[in-house]
Amino acid sequence: MEITASGITDIGRKRDRNEDNYLINDELQLYVVADGMGGHAGGEYASALAVNTVEEIVTSMELPGDPAPDEADPVDIIRGRLAEAVRLAGHRIFDWAAEHPEFRGMGTTSVVLLLHHGNAFIAHVGDSRLYLVRDGVIRQITEDHSLVAQSIREGLLTEEQARFHRMRNVITRALGFDRKVEVDIVVHAVRRGDTFLLCTDGLSGKVDDSEMRDLIAANEPQIAARHLVSAACARGGEDNITVIVVRVEST
């Protein structure tokens, strides 16, 4: 696949440090966003460890191609390996915090996009998100692991109520909080013209889906990324903001 990708991270207007990290590896067609938490530099370290671990493991993987009739499905193989890479990141964060009391309680969300053989492999933990813009329609592919998202799914809150709820930043799953973590994996067939947006909640909490779609549709990835961050900052920028825009030019 031919890909154009661009990313940017911004401290925002209220925070004194940036605990987000991101990765663009066009050679592997691997893209990662992580939103750290923990204070005393713990969040910065956790998000960096997540990003670096996923890149390390994916780099070392031999990604399968078209299988012979008696071989395992390569999609299932990649799903398993990508989930294991994210789980290993969680193990490393948890173990580091256990060995260094000053980092206890650190953790990070993570959303990962790996493009391979016409498929998008998406792994995520927490409330960082991946959106797909296709044929002028934007769709959130990941499902937030957060208290308000769970309440929406259970019919206890509306989308609008959740947007302003005082517990909207409480997540129910993250890398590093426990040594074992469940990783959600989604696989999508890719089309020419598809655009993926990976972002932390510093963006999704401030900019609605329709505005994201319009900014992405009207601009090349580099400009779109800048405009998305600017829009979040213009609405207060209380959190760190990180985005990656990945456009499929050909399959």
Side-chain angles (χ1 to χ4, degrees), residues 77-112:
I77 293 171
I78 296 172
R79 284 171 61 104
R81 290 177 180 174
L82 190 59
E84 186 57 35
V86 177
R87 281 194 291 267
L88 179 58
H91 293 174
R92 289 181 175 179
I93 294 165
F94 182 86
D95 290 347
W96 178 267
E99 295 168 6
H100 301 82
E102 67 272 24
F103 290 106
R104 193 156 293 153
M106 74 178 187
T108 186
T109 70
S110 184
V111 60
V112 180

XYZ file of all heavy atoms in Angstrom, residues 77-112:
283
model
N -2.972 -14.778 12.547
C -1.608 -14.729 13.069
C -1.243 -13.301 13.462
O -0.730 -13.042 14.548
C -0.614 -15.281 12.028
C -0.835 -16.782 11.824
C 0.824 -15.006 12.466
C -0.042 -17.362 10.671
N -1.519 -12.354 12.573
C -1.163 -10.961 12.852
C -1.983 -10.407 14.005
O -1.466 -9.675 14.865
C -1.331 -10.102 11.584
C -0.351 -10.571 10.500
C -1.085 -8.623 11.896
C -0.556 -9.912 9.156
N -3.267 -10.743 14.055
C -4.098 -10.315 15.185
C -3.460 -10.742 16.505
O -3.346 -9.950 17.448
C -5.500 -10.939 15.081
C -6.421 -10.320 14.057
C -7.681 -11.163 13.903
N -8.400 -11.243 15.166
C -9.512 -10.561 15.422
N -10.035 -9.771 14.511
N -10.112 -10.677 16.588
N -3.066 -12.005 16.573
C -2.488 -12.528 17.809
C -1.171 -11.870 18.159
O -0.916 -11.541 19.326
N -0.342 -11.658 17.159
C 0.971 -11.065 17.419
C 0.847 -9.601 17.840
O 1.592 -9.133 18.706
C 1.852 -11.191 16.175
C 2.289 -12.624 15.885
C 3.099 -12.720 14.614
N 3.506 -14.098 14.337
C 4.118 -14.482 13.225
N 4.377 -13.580 12.272
N 4.459 -15.744 13.052
N -0.066 -8.886 17.211
C -0.239 -7.477 17.571
C -0.796 -7.352 18.988
O -0.353 -6.505 19.772
C -1.164 -6.790 16.570
C -1.258 -5.268 16.675
C 0.100 -4.612 16.501
C -2.248 -4.723 15.648
N -1.759 -8.197 19.325
C -2.287 -8.184 20.694
C -1.193 -8.498 21.701
O -1.105 -7.868 22.769
C -3.433 -9.188 20.823
N -0.323 -9.437 21.370
C 0.764 -9.800 22.273
C 1.754 -8.644 22.434
O 2.282 -8.417 23.530
C 1.481 -11.049 21.768
C 2.530 -11.589 22.719
C 1.979 -11.903 24.101
O 0.820 -12.342 24.203
O 2.711 -11.694 25.088
N 2.005 -7.888 21.359
C 2.905 -6.732 21.454
C 2.356 -5.692 22.423
O 3.093 -5.131 23.244
C 3.099 -6.114 20.065
N 1.051 -5.432 22.349
C 0.443 -4.446 23.247
C 0.421 -4.978 24.676
O 0.694 -4.238 25.632
C -0.971 -4.073 22.760
C -1.631 -3.100 23.731
C -0.901 -3.458 21.363
N 0.112 -6.257 24.847
C 0.127 -6.839 26.191
C 1.518 -6.772 26.810
O 1.677 -6.487 28.004
C -0.369 -8.290 26.153
C -1.880 -8.419 26.079
C -2.323 -9.836 26.390
N -1.935 -10.761 25.333
C -2.723 -11.095 24.312
N -3.942 -10.572 24.214
N -2.311 -11.938 23.396
N 2.550 -7.034 26.001
C 3.925 -6.962 26.510
C 4.246 -5.543 26.974
O 4.932 -5.357 27.991
C 4.912 -7.407 25.437
C 6.399 -7.352 25.838
C 6.663 -8.203 27.067
C 7.285 -7.787 24.673
N 3.767 -4.552 26.253
C 3.963 -3.167 26.688
C 3.362 -2.961 28.072
O 3.973 -2.331 28.950
C 3.336 -2.206 25.677
N 2.159 -3.499 28.281
C 1.531 -3.397 29.597
C 2.337 -4.096 30.671
O 2.488 -3.579 31.788
N 2.882 -5.279 30.360
C 3.729 -6.000 31.316
C 4.925 -5.151 31.719
O 5.259 -5.040 32.908
C 4.252 -7.304 30.696
C 3.194 -8.317 30.425
N 3.464 -9.503 29.763
C 1.879 -8.349 30.729
C 2.340 -10.203 29.662
N 1.375 -9.520 30.233
N 5.582 -4.561 30.748
C 6.798 -3.786 31.021
C 6.496 -2.561 31.880
O 7.256 -2.215 32.783
C 7.461 -3.377 29.707
C 8.114 -4.541 28.969
C 8.769 -4.086 27.680
N 9.489 -5.179 27.034
C 10.132 -5.061 25.871
N 10.124 -3.896 25.226
N 10.778 -6.096 25.354
N 5.387 -1.894 31.578
C 5.015 -0.714 32.365
C 4.709 -1.123 33.801
O 5.178 -0.494 34.760
C 3.801 -0.006 31.730
C 4.194 0.573 30.367
C 3.271 1.101 32.642
C 3.005 0.976 29.513
N 3.928 -2.185 33.970
C 3.570 -2.653 35.304
C 4.814 -3.068 36.091
O 4.975 -2.699 37.266
C 2.601 -3.829 35.194
C 2.143 -4.356 36.518
C 1.058 -3.787 37.167
C 2.789 -5.432 37.114
C 0.629 -4.268 38.400
C 2.367 -5.926 38.343
C 1.287 -5.336 38.983
N 5.706 -3.814 35.458
C 6.910 -4.297 36.141
C 7.830 -3.142 36.517
O 8.434 -3.137 37.598
C 7.654 -5.307 35.264
C 6.897 -6.633 35.134
O 5.931 -6.843 35.907
O 7.266 -7.430 34.253
N 7.970 -2.165 35.625
C 8.825 -1.020 35.927
C 8.294 -0.254 37.136
O 9.054 0.125 38.039
C 8.921 -0.101 34.716
C 9.759 1.120 34.970
C 9.334 2.340 35.395
C 11.178 1.218 34.838
N 10.392 3.210 35.526
C 11.542 2.547 35.196
C 12.184 0.334 34.452
C 12.861 2.999 35.180
C 13.503 0.784 34.436
C 13.828 2.092 34.793
N 6.990 -0.043 37.168
C 6.390 0.678 38.293
C 6.550 -0.102 39.597
O 6.742 0.492 40.661
C 4.920 0.956 38.013
N 6.470 -1.427 39.518
C 6.635 -2.249 40.714
C 8.057 -2.156 41.265
O 8.272 -2.226 42.476
C 6.286 -3.703 40.401
N 9.024 -1.971 40.367
C 10.433 -1.901 40.772
C 10.872 -0.503 41.156
O 11.920 -0.335 41.795
C 11.323 -2.425 39.631
C 11.116 -3.903 39.322
C 11.778 -4.310 38.013
O 12.485 -3.452 37.425
O 11.575 -5.459 37.576
N 10.100 0.519 40.765
C 10.460 1.911 41.018
C 9.266 2.614 41.672
O 8.359 3.070 40.969
C 10.854 2.612 39.717
C 12.013 1.973 39.025
N 11.879 0.854 38.213
C 13.339 2.291 39.022
C 13.076 0.525 37.739
N 13.977 1.365 38.219
N 9.257 2.687 43.000
C 8.091 3.226 43.710
C 7.669 4.627 43.264
O 6.480 4.959 43.325
C 8.550 3.230 45.175
C 9.607 2.177 45.241
C 10.301 2.209 43.907
N 8.614 5.421 42.798
C 8.264 6.777 42.365
C 7.381 6.777 41.125
O 6.742 7.793 40.797
C 9.523 7.603 42.113
C 10.381 7.173 40.934
C 11.421 6.111 41.277
O 11.204 5.373 42.267
O 12.427 6.025 40.559
N 7.316 5.644 40.410
C 6.491 5.532 39.216
C 5.210 4.729 39.453
O 4.459 4.476 38.516
C 7.275 4.889 38.077
C 8.360 5.762 37.517
C 9.701 5.499 37.793
C 8.049 6.849 36.727
C 10.708 6.308 37.282
C 9.051 7.663 36.210
C 10.382 7.392 36.490
N 4.972 4.325 40.706
C 3.812 3.494 40.989
C 2.525 4.213 40.593
O 2.344 5.395 40.870
C 3.784 3.140 42.475
C 2.797 2.031 42.816
C 3.190 1.339 44.094
N 4.454 0.593 43.944
C 5.285 0.345 44.953
N 5.028 0.799 46.159
N 6.394 -0.355 44.730
N 1.637 3.497 39.942
C 0.387 4.084 39.486
C 0.411 4.618 38.066
O -0.610 5.068 37.551
N 1.582 4.555 37.422
C 1.638 5.062 36.046
C 0.967 4.082 35.101
O 0.870 2.881 35.349
C 3.084 5.300 35.613
C 3.901 4.062 35.301
S 5.566 4.502 34.755
C 6.220 2.906 34.264
N 0.487 4.610 34.005
C -0.152 3.785 32.987
C -0.349 4.598 31.727
O 0.019 5.772 31.660
N -0.932 3.976 30.733
C -1.160 4.679 29.469
C -2.267 3.998 28.675
O -2.459 2.777 28.774
C 0.130 4.727 28.615
O -0.093 5.535 27.454
C 0.562 3.342 28.165
N -3.005 4.771 27.943
C -3.858 4.235 26.896
C -2.989 3.956 25.682
O -1.853 4.437 25.595
C -4.964 5.220 26.508
O -4.368 6.333 25.823
C -5.717 5.719 27.728
N -3.509 3.227 24.726
C -2.772 3.003 23.485
C -3.732 2.611 22.373
O -4.660 1.827 22.592
C -1.724 1.901 23.662
O -0.939 1.748 22.489
N -3.520 3.191 21.199
C -4.228 2.764 20.001
C -3.194 2.570 18.901
O -2.306 3.409 18.718
C -5.343 3.757 19.583
C -4.803 5.146 19.297
C -6.135 3.216 18.404
N -3.288 1.423 18.216
C -2.270 0.999 17.249
C -2.948 0.678 15.923
O -3.976 -0.003 15.894
C -1.525 -0.257 17.762
C -0.460 -0.697 16.752
C -0.922 -0.021 19.134
